[in-house]
Amino acid sequence: YCDVPINATHFREFVIRPVLKHLNPEIPYSEVAEELLMLTVAHESDMGTYLRQHPKGPARSVYQIEKATFDWLKRYLNRKSNDRLLFKVTALSTELKFDFDELVWNLALATTFARLRYWVAPDPLPVDKANVKGLANYWSKFYQTTNDPTKIAEAIKDYRRYVNG
């Protein structure tokens, strides 16, 4: 047994980019959003090494989405999103009700919910996809919801290790 991450190039090309383009224009596609999701998966699960919080924990998916966040985003989708966005998200799920445990094995749905988390943030996405520190600060503020410099440094290190070394 050894921990082996998902190939970052494959994850970007065959999961993140197609999902983001599927959600467009309801959630506009951008390379910055793509890079932010790459940083998120690189840090949260060591680039997909873990499909649920390791060693034991409540979070699910390569993005380590908490149940409370998932439920909140689900309510958001059902109350505030337009019908077209709800249709697009539902099309990626095998369950019309969106099952939390599906995030473990359904990479498209997990990517959608991670993108939704950033989309509902009050601040616009960073401008420069190459500014890893800016991406990590945004991740820290709106995904991690802390402003811990140590965690920001770890996210940058993980991104460089797995994505852009």
Side-chain angles (χ1 to χ4, degrees):
Y1 169 76
C2 73
D3 296 334
V4 180
I6 296 172
N7 179 285
T9 301
H10 281 211
F11 197 76
R12 176 193 305 277
E13 290 178 11
F14 302 123
V15 178
I16 291 178
R17 190 171 295 147
V19 168
L20 294 182
K21 289 190 174 185
H22 170 76
L23 297 172
N24 191 56
E26 284 69 32
I27 298 178
Y29 168 81
S30 76
E31 290 181 353
V32 171
E34 192 175 292
E35 219 56 46
L36 187 57
L37 290 172
M38 290 297 292
L39 177 134
T40 304
V41 74
H43 179 68
E44 293 290 341
S45 66
D46 289 346
M47 200 61 227
T49 300
Y50 304 104
L51 299 175
R52 66 178 293 177
Q53 195 168 349
H54 180 76
K56 292 182 179 180
R60 300 287 190 274
S61 90
V62 295
Y63 299 98
Q64 300 296 294
I65 298 169
E66 299 280 346
K67 177 86 164 89
T69 302
F70 176 79
D71 289 342
W72 175 69
L73 289 169
K74 210 165 74 164
R75 284 190 303 276
Y76 176 89
L77 273 172
N78 287 316
R79 277 193 329 235
K80 296 195 176 185
S81 72
N82 64 45
D83 290 340
R84 184 98 175 115
L85 177 59
L86 185 58
F87 174 79
K88 284 184 172 185
V89 176
T90 303
L92 296 174
S93 176
T94 60
E95 306 263 343
L96 294 177
K97 62 182 173 47
F98 305 123
D99 180 59
F100 180 60
D101 286 322
E102 186 176 353
L103 296 178
V104 172
W105 58 267
N106 186 334
L107 295 175
L109 188 66
T111 299
T112 297
F113 272 83
R115 179 62 183 104
L116 274 169
R117 179 62 194 98
Y118 289 122
W119 189 61
V120 300
D123 293 356
L125 291 176
V127 176
D128 183 5
K129 72 176 185 169
N131 179 352
V132 181
K133 186 171 185 186
L135 294 172
N137 282 324
Y138 195 89
W139 161 83
S140 177
K141 185 175 181 181
F142 295 111
Y143 201 90
Q144 184 67 30
T145 64
T146 64
N147 196 18
D148 182 344
T150 303
K151 290 199 179 281
I152 293 168
E154 288 172 3
I156 292 168
K157 180 181 166 195
D158 289 338
Y159 175 84
R160 289 188 174 134
R161 176 180 176 196
Y162 294 114
V163 179
N164 195 7

